[in-house]
Amino acid sequence: MTDAETRYAIDPATARGLDTEGLRAQFHVDGLFRPGEVKLVYSHYDRLILGSIVPDGGSLRLDTVPQTGTEAFLERREMAALNIGETGTIAVGGETHMVERGEVLYIGMGAGPVEFSGAGRFYVLSAPAHRTCPTRLIRLADARRVELGARETANERVILQFLHPEVCESCQLLMGYTQFAEGSLWNTMPAHLHERRMEAYLYFDLSTDQRVFHFMGEPDQTRHIVMANEEAVISPPWSIHSGAGTGSYTFCWAMAGDNVDFTDMDMVPMEALR
């Protein structure tokens, strides 16, 4: 049995009154990727679970998580695992998948226990599901590439979409990661909202002496959270989600909610930000 930390949902009016420590307690996730450990955070925003699994050359099993109220973790859930470390393996449903760095394994509802082994460092995401989709290993070459931004605005980037209707069928999870051209540091700007789903970010590939300033809050009540390498942040549907780094970084984004339409977003004009 694997326990998870619970994070409750709050409304935007409550968030306006939080200080730095209060914001971090609600939305910031640290302590991830500890060798030999499983760490999970259960968010009440669309019931998304995020966390890390680091076998550290051994083996770690994910089977029952009491917060889901089900006998098996994947009984009514789907899951994705991104490897940000060296090659590792994931065994599920009688098959063993070798997952290289930067690859994603999607695991469908009802797949049973999941065994993580080897040198992989896995970032995991799970959301409730209402149907079973096939388990599939998505390699880097399979990802859908979307090039956005420009060097002049310091946001030239490539979005690599792994859980996307054109790449891999899922129930409600959307997931991928974004890489930047040299000298570009801004992500997701101009900003937008997702009234119909929440989002979570993992910032990684960031030097230990550098930071990302993650911007959140209502468009006219913006706040920021300072993020170190391999830390995550929960973004509620009423909040913008954008960031700027003091150095090069990559971030994994994941969404759960009413649909799997990646373009379902409400844009926020720059002049509306405060």
Side-chain angles (χ1 to χ4, degrees):
M1 182 178 294
T2 303
D3 203 12
E5 176 190 351
T6 298
R7 300 286 183 96
Y8 292 98
I10 63 172
D11 65 275
T14 299
R16 293 180 192 181
L18 296 177
D19 61 9
T20 297
E21 289 75 19
L23 281 175
R24 293 176 75 86
Q26 290 289 335
F27 305 110
H28 175 254
V29 180
D30 62 1
L32 295 170
F33 301 101
R34 290 174 176 164
E37 293 186 13
V38 177
K39 174 164 181 174
L40 300 177
V41 174
Y42 182 105
S43 170
H44 277 243
Y45 293 110
D46 288 292
R47 306 287 171 171
L48 183 83
I49 292 177
L50 64 88
S52 60
I53 300 177
V54 185
D56 194 32
S59 182
L60 293 171
R61 183 181 177 90
L62 184 59
D63 190 0
T64 302
V65 177
Q67 283 75 12
T68 67
T70 55
E71 185 175 342
F73 179 59
L74 293 178
E75 185 175 321
R76 296 178 57 84
R77 284 181 164 270
E78 61 185 350
M79 177 178 168
L82 164 66
N83 186 7
I84 66 169
E86 298 179 19
T87 302
T89 61
I90 303 176
V92 59
E95 295 187 14
T96 299
H97 306 269
M98 183 173 291
V99 185
E100 305 285 348
R101 177 178 173 84
E103 297 181 342
V104 173
L105 180 69
Y106 171 79
I107 304 171
M109 182 184 74
V114 187
E115 195 90 15
F116 296 81
S117 304
R121 303 173 75 247
F122 297 99
Y123 178 56
V124 295
L125 299 141
S126 174
H130 61 269
R131 63 188 176 92
T132 299
C133 300
T135 295
R136 180 186 167 191
L137 177 61
I138 312 160
R139 302 197 182 278
L140 189 57
D142 301 325
R144 184 173 185 263
R145 294 175 58 89
V146 179
E147 297 183 7
L148 291 175
R151 187 178 299 269
E152 293 74 19
T153 49
N155 67 350
E156 185 179 4
R157 62 200 189 275
V158 176
I159 301 176
L160 297 170
Q161 299 170 335
F162 288 80
L163 298 193
H164 183 282
E166 295 182 23
V167 179
C168 176
E169 183 183 15
S170 65
C171 186
Q172 70 158 316
L173 266 180
L174 287 175
M175 180 261 205
Y177 54 88
T178 300
Q179 298 176 323
F180 296 86
E182 185 177 357
S184 286
L185 301 168
W186 275 101
N187 76 67
T188 324
M189 186 62 75
H192 59 261
L193 301 173
H194 294 144
E195 281 292 342
R196 290 153 293 278
R197 60 193 179 206
M198 62 83 68
E199 189 160 359
Y201 276 16
L202 171 74
Y203 290 102
F204 63 105
D205 289 343
L206 178 69
S207 297
T208 56
D209 61 341
Q210 302 296 316
R211 293 294 184 268
V212 173
F213 287 73
H214 177 86
F215 296 97
M216 63 163 296
E218 299 166 280
D220 62 347
Q221 290 284 335
T222 59
R223 304 289 188 270
H224 75 269
I225 297 177
V226 180
M227 309 290 298
N229 186 46
E230 297 184 352
E231 294 182 345
V233 64
I234 298 167
S235 179
W238 46 262
S239 175
I240 65 167
H241 36 285
S242 180
T246 62
S248 178
Y249 65 98
T250 303
F251 74 96
C252 174
W253 46 266
M255 293 177 275
D258 275 332
N259 61 52
V260 290
D261 178 4
F262 181 84
T263 62
D264 181 14
M265 57 187 71
D266 303 315
M267 300 304 297
V268 177
M270 295 293 280
E271 60 269 21
L273 294 174
R274 294 291 183 270

